[in-house]
Amino acid sequence: ETGVTQSPTHLIKTRGQQVTLRCSSQSGHNTVSWYQQALGQGPQFIFQYYREEENGRGNFPPRFSGLQFPNYSSELNVNALELDDSALYLCASSLQGDGNQPQHFGDGTRLSIL
Amino acid sequence: GENVEQHPSTLSVQEGDSAVIKCTYSDSASNYFPWYKQELGKRPQLIIDIRSNVGEKKDQRIAVTLNKTAKHFSLHITETQPEDSAVYFCAASMGGKLIFGQGTELSVKP
């Protein structure tokens, strides 16, 4: 069974730039959720994709957007990067999109904004 | 609003003692409550979860209890070991998504 994988592991960007983060879900999982984890904080829900459709969104501005592909892998795109976007970005996959199934996390992408 | 409060923020115990972490949640419709362990620089790992139709669940040295009326749930770790040292997060399902607590840094001293 293949676990959740994310790329890249680290990324450094400057304010105003755009970034794309990638996530491959665990085999058999059709749902991917993205989280932002600031230092010393719990993960904050950004949005979820279920069967290629956005299936819920947290309190993040529209410059955070995403995609899910037919193989259930997913991308998180962030435009017009701000200093406060510096964080660990985690994706988690699960069997269903109802929030009531175990979610398994990847190792995350550490994003630093200069 | 959608909120999960977690206490304490830090917890230090001696090896062999028990540790208890408590969480309260705001949405009475929540029905799934997982707990994650996150070691420094690593991914959050699911260690145990409980659903609203169950009051208690145990897996070896860890157990979780749920009180739906009071909207709180707790993690209990018995016979703690140094390798239990990590940050622990509780979470609750709300509106189809997981809302996480702020985390508890557990330190187990040999």
Side-chain angles (χ1 to χ4, degrees):
Chain A
E1 184 179 86
T2 307
V4 179
T5 58
Q6 291 187 243
S7 63
T9 53
H10 295 86
L11 207 48
I12 299 174
K13 292 285 187 178
T14 55
R15 285 171 56 191
Q17 285 190 310
Q18 178 266 342
V19 69
T20 298
L21 310 182
R22 294 177 175 83
C23 172
S24 292
S25 60
Q26 183 171 315
S27 57
H29 287 182
N30 57 20
T31 303
V32 171
S33 301
W34 284 93
Y35 296 86
Q36 181 193 67
Q37 187 177 25
L39 206 58
Q41 303 291 317
Q44 278 204 299
F45 177 77
I46 303 174
F47 44 57
Q48 180 185 85
Y49 279 84
Y50 171 61
R51 293 185 175 179
E52 302 178 59
E53 297 284 335
E54 187 178 289
N55 184 43
R57 189 178 183 93
N59 190 25
F60 281 80
R63 60 190 185 83
F64 285 78
S65 64
L67 281 174
Q68 188 177 32
F69 300 99
N71 66 354
Y72 303 129
S73 65
S74 178
E75 285 183 356
L76 163 65
N77 300 291
V78 188
N79 294 323
L81 286 166
E82 301 176 359
L83 293 178
D84 283 350
D85 296 334
S86 293
L88 179 67
Y89 288 85
L90 293 161
C91 79
S93 73
S94 57
L95 273 173
Q96 294 290 343
D98 60 5
N100 296 326
Q101 301 297 323
Q103 294 190 16
H104 298 277
F105 284 87
D107 286 329
T109 293
R110 174 76 59 188
L111 177 63
S112 299
I113 311 302
L114 304 179
Chain B
E2 299 171 332
N3 190 42
V4 175
E5 297 281 342
Q6 182 172 347
H7 299 281
S9 56
T10 61
L11 180 59
S12 181
V13 300
Q14 287 295 130
E15 183 177 359
D17 286 351
S18 295
V20 180
I21 303 170
K22 298 182 179 182
C23 291
T24 58
Y25 58 97
S26 58
D27 188 353
S28 56
S30 297
N31 55 15
Y32 176 64
F33 308 90
W35 286 87
Y36 287 86
K37 174 184 179 182
Q38 188 174 29
E39 296 177 70
L40 194 62
K42 296 193 175 179
R43 68 179 74 185
Q45 279 195 299
L46 179 67
I47 56 172
I48 195 167
D49 56 12
I50 192 168
R51 298 183 188 281
S52 58
N53 57 345
V54 175
E56 183 173 357
K57 184 176 178 181
K58 191 173 180 180
D59 182 4
Q60 298 183 350
R61 294 188 297 110
I62 60 172
V64 58
T65 58
L66 171 65
N67 183 328
K68 280 221 75 179
T69 304
K71 292 190 287 186
H72 68 70
F73 56 115
S74 301
L75 178 71
H76 304 252
I77 306 174
T78 59
E79 299 171 25
T80 53
Q81 300 166 3
E83 50 265 39
D84 294 330
S85 296
V87 179
Y88 291 80
F89 293 98
C90 63
S93 64
M94 296 185 195
K97 57 185 178 284
L98 284 183
I99 303 298
F100 283 79
Q102 293 301 297
T104 296
E105 185 174 2
L106 173 65
S107 176
V108 180
K109 300 187 184 309

